[in-house]
Amino acid sequence: MSFFGRQVVIAALTANALRPLRSFRSGVISFLLGFVSTELAPQLLVATSLDAAAHLPPRRRHVPGLVLACFSMLGMGWLVRQSRRSRVLLEDALVQGLGAESTEQLDAPTPAERATRWRRFLNPFGLRDARVSVQRDVAYSEGGRRARLDIYRPAQGEGLEHAPVLVQVHGGGWTVGQKEHQALPLMHYLAAQGWVCVAVNYRLAPRHPFPAQIIDVKRAIAWVKEHIAEYGGDPDYVVITGGSAGGHLAALAALTPGDPAYQPGFEDSDTSVQACVPVYGVYDFAGATGLRSATQMRDLFLAPRVLRKRWRDAPEEFEAASPILRVTPEAPDFFVLHGTHDTLVDVNQARLFVAELRRTSRASVVYAELPGTQHAFDFFHSIRSGYMVSTVGRYLTWHWNRHREGLDVEVS
């Protein structure tokens, strides 16, 4: 491809990252083009700068291409700046959600966590960690190959006992996805610090319409409660996280412990969790928020592909599947994260969900809204995902310490 052709492509990616399209169908395209280029802005900035520099000499100069390169470099510089601001915004979210007195009890970020880990940018997709061992495809029920989970533990895990447990639920629109492919930076970070992390598969729609997905997630939680001590985990302290559809399933599971409709055949099993960290999740299946984006998702995707039912024929099922309509005073602690540039799930769903949690729940609610951030920003190593992982890790470690001390999480 010519220099000009390369710069046209880079400029288009930069423009999409800065001003993504937000309609239901074009938003999918914006996401597919945008989430990688947004998080890899430092690498693209360096590559574009080198490419432009090579075409500055008169015999190679291409003025239109250089103009596009200047636009892209300015735009990517702005994206890098937004990513670096995430650290401050995440810290502010903890203070606002927990209060200054509580946040003083969190471990201070280490110099390594404060610093941008530039070495990781040479291989942002290198997600293996020698400090962590993984036991794959452990069966949590008799549901076939989808009823499997992976267990992440410290590599030197002999003698591990009563470790805090994280359950990770993958996304993929309830129709695709694998446990091996998401939240790896977070699970490796926590497992290296002594956690036991459990990544869960579940049956997929449309072959298995909802609520098969939430039933499987709850079966996995019940299995964790019964068996995780064999792997060094503490069954009395389980938190749950997930992104996108996984964020929806994590939030719904956290808000419906013991719901017999979602626990057929294991109604008496304990499926409660101590905290929930949904990331760019879906909180409104029913269109109850009145958001146009939510009703479009309901009618154009959730009804035909996920529930396989029309809204007007079974509104109660859409409502039951909406975390925003399942909030009670007994809800566990929540740490909700969402990006303002998310073109798959409107950030207003997260804002309204958090507002309902704060209005109804007696537990703490932390909300971090990250400017300029697309869907799936935490799939691999980046400036923003690094800050997000260390902040969530510090929050969960603090939460675990409060649990061990027998203290409720209080909001100042």
Side-chain angles (χ1 to χ4, degrees):
M1 184 182 293
S2 67
F3 171 66
F4 180 69
R6 290 194 298 274
Q7 296 314 312
V8 168
V9 172
I10 297 298
L13 291 174
T14 303
N16 177 66
L18 294 170
R19 298 290 184 187
L21 301 172
R22 294 183 178 275
S23 69
F24 182 77
R25 290 184 173 85
S26 63
V28 175
I29 298 172
S30 280
F31 158 68
L32 293 174
L33 295 176
F35 86 102
V36 174
S37 57
T38 300
E39 297 307 308
L40 295 184
Q43 292 90 332
L44 290 174
L45 177 57
V46 171
T48 303
S49 300
L50 294 174
D51 201 8
H55 289 80
L56 283 175
R59 66 185 179 83
R60 301 190 67 189
R61 186 173 299 161
H62 190 285
V63 175
L66 289 171
V67 170
L68 287 175
C70 288
F71 162 77
S72 297
M73 288 186 287
L74 288 171
M76 286 183 285
W78 175 254
L79 293 172
V80 172
R81 181 176 181 272
Q82 283 188 316
S83 294
R84 290 176 66 85
R85 284 186 59 220
S86 298
R87 181 176 67 84
V88 174
L89 295 172
L90 287 161
E91 292 296 320
D92 289 346
L94 290 177
V95 173
Q96 293 172 14
L98 300 176
E101 182 177 343
S102 292
T103 52
E104 287 175 358
Q105 301 168 14
L106 271 73
D107 293 336
T110 66
E113 290 171 340
R114 286 195 180 98
T116 300
R117 300 178 183 181
W118 297 106
R119 285 188 298 177
R120 283 187 173 171
F121 298 155
L122 298 176
N123 185 18
F125 301 102
L127 299 174
R128 294 184 180 180
D129 192 324
R131 301 171 298 171
V132 176
S133 67
V134 185
Q135 185 167 346
R136 298 200 181 278
D137 294 324
V138 178
Y140 65 81
S141 79
E142 298 178 354
R145 64 184 182 85
R146 294 300 304 184
R148 300 288 185 271
L149 52 81
D150 295 342
I151 301 174
Y152 294 70
R153 298 191 299 163
Q156 307 300 324
E158 296 82 0
L160 188 69
E161 291 184 345
H162 305 297
V165 180
L166 175 82
V167 174
Q168 151 65 21
V169 187
H170 72 77
W174 305 271
T175 62
V176 297
Q178 295 285 345
K179 55 184 167 49
E180 300 91 349
H181 300 157
Q182 297 179 25
L184 295 179
L186 177 62
M187 289 193 291
H188 282 142
Y189 178 91
L190 289 174
Q193 295 192 22
W195 284 62
V196 175
C197 299
V198 181
V200 177
N201 266 349
Y202 50 84
R203 287 172 293 170
L204 301 173
R207 181 177 180 181
H208 300 283
F210 189 90
Q213 296 73 39
I214 187 63
I215 291 172
D216 286 356
V217 170
K218 284 175 164 284
R219 282 190 186 277
I221 296 172
W223 183 95
V224 166
K225 297 277 188 175
E226 294 175 9
H227 298 283
I228 205 62
E230 301 166 19
Y231 300 87
D234 182 355
D236 293 326
Y237 185 83
V238 178
V239 300
I240 190 167
T241 187
S244 192
H248 162 262
L249 293 169
L252 188 61
L255 293 168
T256 59
D259 184 344
Y262 292 157
Q263 295 183 206
F266 60 109
E267 293 87 353
D268 295 332
S269 295
D270 180 9
T271 58
S272 62
V273 297
Q274 277 59 55
C276 181
V277 185
V279 189
Y280 43 85
V282 178
Y283 307 109
D284 181 13
F285 263 41
T289 57
L291 296 170
R292 183 170 182 268
S293 59
T295 56
Q296 283 186 319
M297 181 183 290
R298 180 194 72 195
D299 295 336
L300 300 179
F301 181 72
L302 295 174
R305 295 283 297 169
V306 179
L307 278 82
R308 303 297 303 276
K309 295 178 181 179
R310 293 179 297 182
W311 154 252
R312 65 174 178 268
D313 294 335
E316 68 285 351
E317 295 186 33
F318 288 81
E319 291 167 355
S322 300
I324 197 169
L325 299 178
R326 303 300 299 266
V327 179
T328 68
E330 291 73 36
D333 300 301
F334 268 81
F335 187 169
V336 180
L337 299 101
H338 215 102
T340 62
H341 280 28
D342 192 323
T343 59
L344 292 187
V345 184
D346 188 347
V347 66
N348 285 300
Q349 281 205 34
R351 292 170 181 168
L352 293 170
F353 179 59
V354 167
E356 181 61 28
L357 283 169
R358 289 174 171 166
R359 179 167 47 247
T360 305
S361 171
R362 291 193 290 263
S364 66
V365 182
V366 178
Y367 176 51
E369 184 171 300
L370 303 178
T373 306
Q374 250 293 3
H375 205 75
F377 68 89
D378 61 336
F379 272 33
F380 50 87
H381 294 302
S382 70
I383 295 174
R384 190 170 4 243
S385 70
Y387 291 146
M388 172 265 193
V389 164
S390 62
T391 302
V392 171
R394 289 171 52 232
Y395 166 81
L396 289 177
T397 298
W398 167 81
H399 196 279
W400 160 238
N401 288 333
R402 299 280 295 186
H403 170 81
R404 286 194 299 175
E405 294 166 3
L407 300 174
D408 291 330
V409 177
E410 298 179 353
V411 181
S412 299

